[in-house]
Amino acid sequence: MTGLDLAFATTGLITAAAAALAVTTRHVVHSALWLVVTLLGLAGCYLVLGAELVALVQVLVYVGAVVVLVIVALMLTRAPIGPRAEHTTGPAHRVLAACVGAGTGGLVAAVLLPTAARTPVRPGGSEELARQIFSTWVWPFELLSLLLLAALVGAFAVAGLTTSQEGTR
Amino acid sequence: MSKDFIPGLVKGMATTARQMMSPTHTAEYPDVAPELPARSRGVIALVESNCTSCMLCARECPDWCIHIDSHKEEVPPANEGGRARQRNVLDRFAIDYSLCMYCGICVEVCPFDALFWSPQFEYAETDIRDLLHEKERLGQWVADVPAPPQLDPAAAEAPEVTAANKPTRGGNRPPRPSREPDSRGEAR
Amino acid sequence: MSLLEISLRSLAALAAVLVLPLVAGQAEHKVMAHMQGRLGPMYAGGFHGWAQLVADGVKFVQKEDITPAAADRSVFRLAPAVALIPYVIAIALLPIHPGLAAAEVPGSVLLVLAVIGVGVLGTLMAGWASANKYALVGGMRSAAQLLAYELPLVLSVASVAMAAGTLSLAGVVEAWTPWWLVWQLPGAIVFLIAATAELQRVPFDAPIADSEVVMGPWTEYTGLRFAFFMLAEYAGMVVMGLLFGILWLGGWQGPFAEQLGWLWTLLKGALIVLLIIWIRVSWPRMREDQLQRLAWTVLVPLALAQLALTAIGVVVTT
């Protein structure tokens, strides 16, 4: 076990622990903050694997923008300080959620584990990443952005519909 | 966004830049003494020798902050066989500056020019009772009293002088030179 | 890299974060005072009040550290550190002199932007954890503003990185030529505006507008924790100023760059910091809707246009 392995294991553990805390804590905003730790840990994992560009983009986009958006949304709600009874779920829900989680995890593991062999990690420098994105993955990438654009337009349409109805009322 | 938006921003920055280049207005008070205007009302000073203990100031004072004690003294006659006269001797003259409201009525009302406004204003105390100042302290402030400002050469003459200079009904009396002591006027 | 070198470099970065913001703050005191016809601090330290901010620091240390009873204690206490530490990292990444930065990493342009993005979380944590309505309103304004201005900021920096063909700050400085001043001008303006908004300084200080929401997210803070927020603000100003100098004004490039490169970098950074101070003195605060309109209808299109312009330039010249 090399130092790099150890670092990867540590960041991985931190990520997993923070992720678990993010879904189990009863403070809504704590959940968002644990999400920050999770995302930072994930960025650390990428960094240990030598993909510093992916790690930085992860921090920039997810911590800098997405989590801020989540926190804005939380502030717009009546997010209380301290645990709140409404945010707890009954035992039935918990069992169901655990089943769904275990099922998804099992599915992913079943797909990924057979392919897991000791493969040398390819250096994921920015040049290599750029070449991959703009040659092999350019169509999926563009398709994804089209999907997001459609979602955005849809959201606008929905928001516009509700306001116009209120206007006629 | 109106069309004045960008010019307005530039103008704001130009104004501040110009202000930075021009001298500041800060009064560095404890280090540099302030330039007070003439007739500043700092504190009331007492010229003790002019005071006749007539009590006019103490009576006029709206909040009764002037304390005067005096006694009468026999003055022997100046000439042989003359009548002995009495005069007032001032024992105590005190102004309580914790009560004084700086109206200046006492200065106005004093017929013998014993009270003056001094521009001195640095006489704060840590205890309110220490603001009662006796005549010794009031006398020290006389040194700060500025000389009265010069009369404006174009100013109208005082009513007394005008009255004295009015020609008599016959019109044959020569007019007196103005702004000179008038013995009749003073005696009146 | 030996342990000694690592610790020396860390100490240098820490010293820069402790000294440069104080210099910027003192400059703000004095420049703002003279722009308003005042003298500013004159006593602390003797000569023209040079030690005013040191004295302020001593005052902050003596003050009581209060945590409100209703606050979310751990988040409340952590927030100042989250606000300040990213700027320590950011300042460590900035190359001051040819081949001289406290920490040299390949993707330093992205890393600086990323840590600044983390730093703004401190404000949000403070706003939410204070259990104070002013702090919450300030936090919401802050979040909305940061969300809007993060995009033009990143886009304008991306344009420079594209023009230089590298993601390293030192590489950008080496690739810089004077005609970038014209070619990259729209991006530079976008960056300056977005950076001012990111720092929540006038005219974008609605989140901490003291006449409206007391002190916004900082309302409940006292003593050293408040001082950390102030330090973070001024450290942010220094980082943004130096970053602007490095990306758009050519960093250490200038006469005698081999010997005086560090001086050129600091001078260019100081120029931008002065400009930010000058703007603060001159302009009124923007309203929340004006902020959003400026970001989405002016800055984002401008940054995208700059990106296209840069792309054309890069394709034509190579």
Side-chain angles (χ1 to χ4, degrees), chain C residues 151-159 162 184 186-187 190 295-312:
Chain C
L151 187 59
L153 190 81
V154 173
L155 286 177
S156 60
V157 173
S159 154
M162 199 151 96
Q184 298 293 336
V190 169
W296 295 111
T297 65
V298 179
L299 294 188
V300 172
L302 204 60
L304 287 173
Q306 170 70 69
L307 215 54
L309 183 69
T310 310
I312 293 168

Side-chain angles (χ1 to χ4, degrees), chain C residues 82-103:
Chain C
V82 175
L84 183 59
I85 289 172
Y87 287 116
V88 184
I89 299 172
I91 238 172
L93 294 168
L94 300 175
I96 299 298
H97 195 68
L100 180 69

Side-chain angles (χ1 to χ4, degrees), chain B residues 29-92:
Chain B
Y29 156 59
D31 298 331
V32 180
E35 273 189 35
L36 296 173
R39 302 191 182 91
S40 287
R41 296 185 170 198
V43 72
I44 293 162
L46 170 73
V47 181
E48 200 187 330
S49 56
N50 283 3
C51 180
T52 61
S53 320
C54 67
M55 302 290 286
L56 278 177
C57 52
R59 288 164 184 234
E60 292 292 335
C61 181
D63 41 14
W64 295 88
C65 69
I66 301 180
H67 305 267
I68 297 177
D69 286 340
S70 65
H71 67 272
K72 283 196 181 346
E73 229 172 45
E74 194 92 343
V75 182
N79 305 319
E80 193 66 32
R83 185 162 60 89
R85 289 170 188 259
Q86 283 183 325
R87 73 175 180 96
N88 284 332
V89 177
L90 190 63
D91 293 328
R92 179 178 188 231

Side-chain angles (χ1 to χ4, degrees), chain A residues 27 29-30 33 36 40 52-53 56-57 59-60 63-65 67-69 71-72 75-76 79-82 126, chain C residues 70-72 75 106-107 110-111 113-114 117-118 121 124-125 128-129 131 136 139-140 143-144 147 150 154 167:
Chain A
H27 300 228
V29 176
H30 282 195
L33 294 175
V36 173
L40 285 177
E52 79 267 353
L53 191 75
L56 292 178
V57 170
V59 175
L60 189 64
V63 179
V67 172
V68 173
L69 192 63
I71 291 179
V72 176
M75 281 178 171
L76 289 175
I81 286 178
S126 29
Chain C
D72 189 340
V75 177
L110 263 184
L111 186 50
L113 291 179
V118 174
L121 276 179
L124 302 187
M125 285 165 69
W128 181 77
L136 189 65
M140 278 172 63
L147 210 60
E150 185 87 16
V154 173
L167 281 177

Side-chain angles (χ1 to χ4, degrees), chain B residues 72-164:
Chain B
K72 283 196 181 346
E73 229 172 45
E74 194 92 343
V75 182
N79 305 319
E80 193 66 32
R83 185 162 60 89
R85 289 170 188 259
Q86 283 183 325
R87 73 175 180 96
N88 284 332
V89 177
L90 190 63
D91 293 328
R92 179 178 188 231
F93 191 105
I95 300 180
D96 190 346
Y97 283 102
S98 64
L99 295 178
C100 175
M101 61 184 198
Y102 301 89
C103 62
I105 290 176
C106 52
V107 179
E108 304 280 325
V109 84
C110 180
F112 302 107
D113 283 353
L115 293 173
F116 290 96
W117 277 113
S118 158
Q120 174 60 258
F121 60 93
E122 293 166 311
Y123 53 95
E125 301 285 348
T126 48
D127 190 328
I128 195 169
R129 288 167 295 186
D130 296 338
L131 279 169
L132 178 62
H133 291 307
E134 299 294 333
K135 63 183 178 187
E136 289 75 25
R137 185 79 195 275
L138 298 178
Q140 285 168 13
W141 281 318
V142 176
D144 300 325
V145 174
Q150 285 296 311
L151 284 180
D152 188 346
E157 288 190 332
E160 293 90 340
V161 179
T162 329

